[in-house]
Amino acid sequence: MTERYRLSFTTGGLFLQESAIAAASFLQLGDWTATRAQLRGENLLQVRTSAAATRIGKEVTARLQELSSEELSALQDLSLRDQANLLWVAVCRHYPFIREFAIEVLREHFLVLRRRLVFADFEHFLNAKALWHAELDDIAKSTQLKLRQNLFRMLREADLLSDQHEIHPAQLSPYLAQLLARQGRQVFLVFPATDNDIQRWLQ
């Protein structure tokens, strides 16, 4: 049986600031449950309601849990672009739907020189996946639009997509590339990058 997709990325984008705060809290406490409690109890994420604090804290920590201890520690010291790229990796690890979109649509477009993403690309991808994932048939149109909106927002925040939806080649610092390379070649497939780029990052 095909595993159901997680589809809870209906709030926010990459949560750059929130992720840095949550990672710092975890590195201090060493426990994700305590981290979520601190984020909520002290309103470290500076959100207006306790319900939003709970929801965003849960979402951010779920993504951060996909990172290795080395990646989590490095998050604090990376440039903003590298932080965004590392959080994009975390999102792709947490959400197979996004990972598959990144590999099968984003990178594939880049490789065949179709350097622009359009909303129809998302619809075609979702409809194709719905053949194997009945849960995609069950989501409301408004939810589908939210998923698309937030996916494109994450791509823009990671500087992988322009405001005009033109695909930008991934630019990873040597430090981040070296850090990610420990996970093997697969980790780089979620980026708009050529095989030569990936080979260079792996060295």
Side-chain angles (χ1 to χ4, degrees):
M1 185 177 172
T2 308
E3 190 175 344
R4 289 174 64 87
Y5 282 134
R6 291 190 185 106
L7 297 168
S8 57
F9 54 99
T10 52
T11 303
L14 287 179
F15 292 116
L16 267 162
Q17 286 181 302
E18 294 87 350
S19 294
I21 292 167
S25 174
F26 173 76
L27 290 170
Q28 180 187 29
L29 299 171
D31 179 84
W32 287 111
T33 302
T35 297
R36 281 188 286 273
Q38 185 182 55
L39 294 176
R40 184 177 63 251
E42 299 178 25
N43 194 21
L44 295 181
L45 303 183
Q46 298 289 296
V47 288
R48 286 193 293 273
T49 67
S50 60
T54 299
R55 186 176 69 253
I56 294 172
K58 186 177 178 184
E59 177 66 20
V60 167
T61 54
R63 297 177 188 185
L64 290 177
Q65 281 178 263
E66 302 289 347
L67 299 179
S68 69
S69 55
E70 292 92 347
E71 290 166 345
L72 262 180
S73 298
L75 186 64
Q76 309 298 307
D77 303 316
L78 295 173
S79 68
L80 276 176
R81 170 177 276 160
D82 275 353
Q83 281 184 346
N85 280 317
L86 183 54
L87 291 174
W88 172 247
V89 168
V91 163
C92 289
R93 287 175 184 167
H94 190 62
Y95 292 109
F97 178 88
I98 295 180
R99 181 176 68 245
E100 291 168 20
F101 181 87
I103 296 170
E104 298 169 25
V105 182
L106 177 70
R107 183 167 186 259
E108 194 59 35
H109 271 39
F110 181 76
L111 291 177
V112 300
L113 306 181
R114 286 180 60 192
R115 295 293 169 87
R116 198 162 180 273
L117 275 185
V118 295
F119 290 150
D121 293 321
F122 178 88
E123 269 85 62
H124 292 157
F125 175 78
L126 186 142
N127 291 336
K129 293 298 179 180
L131 296 173
W132 308 99
H133 290 267
E135 68 272 19
L136 295 176
D137 285 326
D138 298 334
I139 60 175
K141 185 67 176 177
S142 58
T143 302
Q144 182 178 323
L145 292 176
K146 269 282 188 192
L147 295 175
R148 187 188 73 192
Q149 176 187 341
N150 285 333
L151 175 51
F152 275 64
R153 177 179 171 181
M154 289 181 216
L155 287 166
R156 289 194 303 273
E157 289 177 353
D159 199 25
L160 302 177
L161 204 65
S162 74
D163 289 341
Q164 291 73 40
H165 297 176
E166 292 174 357
I167 300 170
H168 289 169
Q171 297 183 47
L172 309 184
S173 72
Y175 177 74
L176 179 60
Q178 187 179 45
L179 188 66
L180 292 175
R182 296 174 191 175
Q183 309 294 324
R185 185 176 185 276
Q186 288 291 114
V187 73
F188 295 116
L189 297 181
V190 300
F191 292 109
T194 65
D195 288 340
N196 285 340
D197 292 328
I198 293 174
Q199 198 55 43
R200 189 179 76 250
W201 291 334
L202 285 167
Q203 289 172 353

